[in-house]
C-alpha cells in the first residue's frame, strides 16, 4: 500500500518532493537539492507558482512552491522572513529557477532554508512551470481517486470477512496482505496473540515484544507512536477495551504511514470488535491453540521464530524445561470447562504453560518449568482436576525436553501413549496419568490394532486353530493360551486348564499339527504369544 510510482502509474502513497523531482518535466531542469535532503519524503499536496513577496498568505501547507526568484527580497532579513513564512505554513519545498535573476542561490536564502529545514531546490535549465503544475496535479487527482477506490476495497473486504463470520486470524491476515506490513494483535497485558509478518520474520517482529509494546504508550485514537513508530489502533466496544492492533514499519522505512494505513488499521480494529462479539471465545485461548498446533506440527520457519512467538504469548523459553501433556476426553462434552479449570489450576500453581485444543475432544498442555520445578506433582494435580470433571478421560505425558523445539517430540510421545491406552485402562496406584513406560506389548498392539499387517499376522498364525475350534466345538485356543502363559511349563498349563497331563499332551500335538508349529521352540512360542495377545486386544476392542 505504500510503494510509489513517480511516473504516474497508479501511485499507492502520497506523492513526495523526491517523486516530483524525478518527473521528466522537472528533471529536464537539472534539479539540485541545496538544503533539506532528509525532508524529501514530505508529501506534496499541490504545486503553487508564485512571484509574490508574501506567497504564504495563499498557501495551506504541503505545497511545492515554484518561483523564478524575481520576488525575493533584496535584504537578508527579508529573505529570512520569506522563508520563515513558507516554513510556518508547512510548504513542502521551495524550487527556484536560476535562469533570470539569479545564477546561484543567494547565501541568505540557503542559510534561511537550512535553518528551517525547508528543502531548497535549484533549476539550472529553463522549465515550463505550467507543465509542471499540470503533470503533478493530474497525478495528485489520480492518486486521490485511486485512494478512494482502495478505501472502498478495504471496506468491502472487511465487510465480506465479517459477513462470513471470519475469526481474528483472518482479520489480521487481511490487514497484513493489504498493507504489505507486519500486523500484530495484542491483549491488554501486551501479549502478542496473533502475528502476521510481512517484510519481517516472526523473530524480528516479536522479539522482546512486551517491552517494546509498553514503550509504545496507549492512545485514544489511531496514531503513530513509540520509539519504533508503530501505527496502533484500540480494539474496544462501548468503552471496554479488549486489546489493540499494531502495524509495524518495515526495516527500511521510517514509519511513513499514510492515510490509507490509518483507514485500514481502523477498519481492522472495527472488524476485530465485531468478530469478538460474534465469537466470544477469548483471543488468548485461540492464540494458545494455534501456537500449540504450530509447535506440534513444526510449522515454524525456524527455532528462533517459535521461541519469539511463544515468548510474546507470555511463555518463558529461556532456561526452562518443557513437558507435553495430552488430555483425551474420549468424546465427552465439557472440553471448554476442562480447559478453563486447567488454566485456573496452572495460574494458581504459578506454572507457565500453554493450554489449547489440539483436536476435537483432545487438549494439549505445554508446561514451561523452571529448573527447580518437577513436573510429576504438577501433572498429578492437573490430571486429578481432569478426572473429576471428565471421568474416563485419559491424561498422558511425553518425555521432558530442554528446548522448546523438542516440544513436538514430547507431544508425539504423549499422543502415542494416549493411542495405546484402551478405555478404562487401569492406572498404577501411585498416579492418575499415563506415560511412555506404561506401554507394554498389549498396549502397543492395542495402538496398532487397526493396522492390516497386524490383523493379517494374527490370522496367519492362529486362523486354522480358531477355525478348527469353531467347526469341532473344541477349545484348543484356550489350551494354547494356558501353555504360553506358563512359558511352556506343561504341568502348570495342565493345572490351569483343569486337564490331565495326557490330555494336555494330546491337545498340544493337535495344535502343533494344525498350525505347523513347534511348541518346544521359544521363538515360535513368542510368535504365537504375540498373535494371541493381538487377538485378545482386537476382541476386547
Amino acid at each position: 500500500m505504500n510503494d510509489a510510482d513517480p511516473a504516474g502509474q497508479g501511485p499507492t502513497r502520497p506523492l513526495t518532493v523526491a517523486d516530483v523531482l524525478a518527473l521528466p518535466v522537472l528533471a529536464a531542469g537539472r534539479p539540485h537539492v541545496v538544503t533539506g535532503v532528509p525532508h524529501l519524503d514530505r508529501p506534496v499536496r499541490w504545486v503553487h507558482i508564485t512571484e509574490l513577496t508574501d506567497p504564504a498568505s495563499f498557501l495551506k501547507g504541503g505545497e511545492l512552491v515554484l518561483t523564478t526568484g524575481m520576488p525575493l527580497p533584496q535584504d537578508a532579513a527579508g529573505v529570512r522572513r520569506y522563508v520563515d513564512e513558507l516554513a510556518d505554513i508547512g510548504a513542502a519545498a521551495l524550487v527556484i529557477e536560476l535562469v533570470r535573476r539569479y545564477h546561484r542561490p543567494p547565501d541568505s536564502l540557503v542559510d534561511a532554508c537550512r535553518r528551517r529545514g525547508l528543502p531548497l531546490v535549484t533549476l539550472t535549465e529553463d522549465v515550463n512551470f505550467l507543465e509542471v503544475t499540470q503533470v503533478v496535479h493530474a497525478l495528485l487527482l489520480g492518486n486521490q481517486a485511486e485512494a478512494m477506490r482502495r478505501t472502498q476495497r478495504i471496506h468491502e473486504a472487511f465487510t465480506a470477512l465479517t459477513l462470513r463470520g471470519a475469526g481474528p486470524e483472518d482479520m489480521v491476515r487481511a490487514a497484513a496482505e493489504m498493507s504489505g506490513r507486519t500486523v500484530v494483535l495484542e491483549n491488554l497485558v501486551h501479549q502478542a496473540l496473533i502475528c502476521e509478518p510481512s517484510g519481517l520474520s516472526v523473530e524480528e517482529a516479536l522479539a522482546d515484544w512486551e517491552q517494546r509494546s509498553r514503550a509504545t504508550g496507549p492512545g485514544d485514537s489511531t496514531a503513530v507512536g513509540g520509539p519504533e513508530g508503530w501505527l496502533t489502533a484500540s480494539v474496544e466496544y462501548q468503552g471496554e477495551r479488549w486489546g489493540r492492533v499494531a502495524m509495524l514499519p518495515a526495516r527500511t522505512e521510517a514509519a511513513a504511514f499514510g492515510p490509507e494505513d490509518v483507514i485500514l488499521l481502523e477498519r481492522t480494529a472495527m472488524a476485530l470488535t465485531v468478530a469478538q462479539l460474534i465469537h466470544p471465545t477469548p483471543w488468548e485461548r485461540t492464540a494458545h491453540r494455534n501456537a500449540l498446533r504450530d509447535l506440534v506440527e513444526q510449522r515454524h520457519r525456524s527455532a528462533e521464530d517459535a521461541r519469539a512467538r511463544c515468548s510474546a504469548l507470555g511463555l518463558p523459553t529461556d532456561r526452562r524445561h518443557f513437558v507435553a501433556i495430552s488430555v483425551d476426553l474420549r468424546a465427552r462434552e465439557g472440553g471448554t470447562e476442562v480447559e478453563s479449570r486447567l488454566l485456573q489450576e496452572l495460574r494458581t500453581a504459578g506454572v507457565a504453560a500453554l493450554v489449547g485444543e489440539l483436536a476435537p475432544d483432545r487438549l494439549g498442555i505445554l508446561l514451561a518449568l523452571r529448573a527447580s520445578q518437577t513436573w510429576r506433582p504438577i501433572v498429578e494435580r492437573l490430571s486429578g482436576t481432569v478426572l473429576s470433571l471428565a471421568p474416563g478421560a485419559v491424561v498422558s505425558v511425553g518425555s521432558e525436553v530442554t528446548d522448546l523445539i523438542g516440544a513436538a517430540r514430547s507431544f508425539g510421545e504423549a499422543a502415542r501413549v494416549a493411542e495405546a491406552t484402551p478405555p478404562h485402562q487401569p492406572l498404577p496406584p501411585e498416579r492418575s496419568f499415563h506415560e511412555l513406560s506404561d506401554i507394554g506389548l498389549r498396549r502397543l498392539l492395542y495402538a496398532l490394532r487397526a493396522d492390516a499387517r497386524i490383523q493379517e499376522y494374527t490370522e496367519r498364525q492362529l486362523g486354522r486353530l480358531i477355525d478348527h475350534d469353531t467347526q469341532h466345538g473344541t477349545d484348543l485356543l484356550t489350551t494354547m493360551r494356558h501353555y504360553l502363559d506358563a512359558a511352556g511349563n506343561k504341568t502348570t498349563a495342565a493345572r490351569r486348564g483343569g486337564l490331565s497331563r495326557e490330555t494336555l499332551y494330546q491337545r498340544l500335538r493337535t495344535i502343533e499339527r494344525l498350525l505347523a508349529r513347534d511348541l518346544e521352540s521359544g521363538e515360535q512360542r513368542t510368535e504365537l504369544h504375540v498373535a494371541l495377545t493381538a487377538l485378545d486386544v482386537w476382541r476386547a476392542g
Side-chain angles (χ1 to χ4, degrees):
M1 182 174 290
N2 289 335
D3 296 324
D5 181 356
Q9 302 300 316
T12 56
R13 62 163 166 79
L15 206 63
T16 66
V17 174
D19 296 333
V20 173
L21 296 180
L23 294 172
V25 67
L26 256 181
R30 297 171 60 188
H32 172 64
V33 181
V34 181
T35 67
V37 172
H39 305 297
L40 295 182
D41 60 348
R42 287 179 177 176
V44 174
R45 190 185 62 82
W46 208 243
V47 175
H48 185 74
I49 304 172
T50 183
E51 300 299 339
L52 299 175
T53 57
D54 59 341
S57 60
F58 295 91
L59 306 180
K60 293 184 178 180
E63 291 88 357
L64 185 79
V65 178
L66 302 177
T67 181
T68 62
M70 299 298 291
L72 281 179
Q74 298 284 351
D75 59 305
V79 170
R80 284 196 301 271
R81 183 172 59 254
Y82 181 90
V83 171
D84 285 342
E85 289 178 357
L86 291 179
D88 290 342
I89 202 66
L94 174 63
V95 179
I96 181 171
E97 189 181 67
L98 302 180
V99 176
R100 293 169 176 82
R101 179 178 176 183
Y102 297 105
H103 296 287
R104 60 183 297 272
D107 291 341
S108 58
L109 180 63
V110 174
D111 292 341
C113 288
R114 181 175 291 117
R115 180 174 57 85
R116 294 303 304 269
L118 179 68
L120 173 63
V121 182
T122 61
L123 302 174
T124 57
E125 300 289 341
D126 196 11
V127 169
N128 188 324
F129 283 174
L130 183 59
E131 288 185 4
V132 174
T133 62
Q134 289 175 337
V135 171
V136 175
H137 291 170
L139 285 174
L140 291 171
L141 292 172
N143 197 15
Q144 291 173 6
E146 178 60 23
M148 292 178 64
R149 287 191 290 270
R150 285 194 299 272
T151 299
Q152 181 63 25
R153 287 197 291 269
I154 290 170
H155 287 294
E156 289 174 352
F158 280 100
T159 298
L161 287 170
T162 300
L163 289 176
R164 70 177 175 85
E169 301 95 335
D170 301 305
M171 306 298 185
V172 175
R173 186 179 304 114
E177 290 174 353
M178 283 190 275
S179 67
R181 303 176 191 266
T182 296
V183 180
V184 180
L185 173 66
E186 68 171 11
N187 61 13
L188 295 178
V189 293
H190 302 276
Q191 293 177 346
L193 306 178
I194 302 172
C195 174
E196 281 294 333
S198 181
L200 300 171
S201 68
V202 173
E203 181 189 11
E204 290 170 325
L206 298 182
D208 301 317
W209 177 264
E210 182 179 347
Q211 179 181 354
R212 294 161 58 209
S213 175
R214 291 185 182 278
T216 305
D220 295 330
S221 60
T222 304
V224 176
E228 296 180 44
W230 293 358
L231 179 65
T232 60
S234 177
V235 182
E236 56 186 48
Y237 180 68
Q238 294 184 346
E240 180 183 0
R241 185 169 294 185
W242 295 332
R244 72 174 172 179
V245 59
M247 186 180 289
L248 277 55
R251 287 186 298 255
T252 57
E253 64 183 341
F257 295 107
E260 290 174 46
D261 295 307
V262 174
I263 293 171
L264 174 59
L265 202 64
E266 288 178 340
R267 192 65 179 85
T268 304
M270 184 186 304
L272 285 166
T273 299
V274 175
Q276 179 65 4
L277 293 172
I278 295 174
H279 306 287
T281 302
W283 289 335
E284 289 80 0
R285 186 168 294 174
T286 302
H288 282 210
R289 178 199 67 195
N290 293 341
L292 284 175
R293 290 181 179 180
D294 287 348
L295 283 173
V296 170
E297 298 171 22
Q298 297 180 299
R299 292 193 294 224
H300 293 285
R301 291 185 179 180
S302 66
E304 291 74 20
D305 279 4
R307 295 188 191 98
R309 183 179 179 189
C310 290
S311 295
L313 271 176
L315 186 80
T317 59
D318 293 333
R319 296 184 296 278
R320 297 275 171 154
H321 53 282
F322 304 89
V323 175
I325 307 170
S326 174
V327 178
D328 190 341
L329 298 174
R330 300 290 162 106
R332 293 176 179 269
E333 297 181 356
T336 301
E337 182 185 0
V338 172
E339 186 176 349
S340 298
R341 282 287 300 276
L342 289 174
L343 285 167
Q344 182 180 348
E345 288 281 355
L346 289 163
R347 291 192 188 101
T348 302
V351 178
L354 296 179
V355 181
E357 184 185 69
L358 295 179
D361 306 320
R362 183 158 63 91
L363 298 176
I365 306 170
L366 180 64
L367 304 179
L369 304 170
R370 298 186 299 273
S372 59
Q373 290 178 304
T374 57
W375 63 267
R376 286 185 178 275
I378 298 170
V379 176
E380 185 66 39
R381 178 174 177 175
L382 295 177
S383 61
T385 298
V386 170
L387 295 176
S388 68
L389 296 171
V394 172
V395 178
S396 51
V397 185
S399 298
E400 184 177 15
V401 295
T402 57
D403 188 86
L404 182 66
I405 299 305
R409 175 168 60 85
S410 187
F411 271 114
E413 293 171 350
R416 289 196 294 275
V417 173
E419 185 182 27
T421 303
H424 310 296
Q425 173 71 31
L427 282 158
E430 70 279 2
R431 55 183 162 87
S432 58
F433 58 88
H434 302 267
E435 55 184 320
L436 275 173
S437 60
D438 296 332
I439 301 179
L441 175 62
R442 184 174 296 273
R443 290 180 63 170
L444 177 63
L445 291 171
Y446 174 80
L448 300 174
R449 65 193 182 281
D451 192 313
R453 291 169 296 182
I454 298 295
Q455 298 173 19
E456 187 275 335
Y457 174 83
T458 303
E459 181 64 21
R460 176 162 44 86
Q461 293 286 339
L462 304 177
R464 289 189 297 272
L465 185 62
I466 296 172
D467 291 342
H468 181 276
D469 280 346
T470 301
Q471 294 168 8
H472 298 88
T474 56
D475 194 9
L476 295 177
L477 190 68
T478 299
T479 299
M480 188 179 72
R481 183 191 307 281
H482 291 318
Y483 177 73
L484 295 176
D485 287 344
N489 188 307
K490 296 184 177 67
T491 301
T492 302
R495 184 174 68 254
R496 290 178 178 176
L499 303 174
S500 65
R501 291 175 62 86
E502 291 74 14
T503 302
L504 177 69
Y505 293 159
Q506 180 183 4
R507 291 187 179 185
L508 292 178
R509 286 193 294 272
T510 303
I511 292 170
E512 289 180 321
R513 176 176 57 81
L514 289 170
L515 299 182
R517 311 292 283 176
D518 178 10
L519 294 181
E520 295 297 325
S521 166
E523 180 178 349
Q524 294 188 28
R525 284 205 307 269
T526 299
E527 293 172 352
L528 290 171
H529 198 199
V530 170
L532 187 59
T533 303
L535 178 66
D536 292 343
V537 165
W538 181 256
R539 287 179 172 178

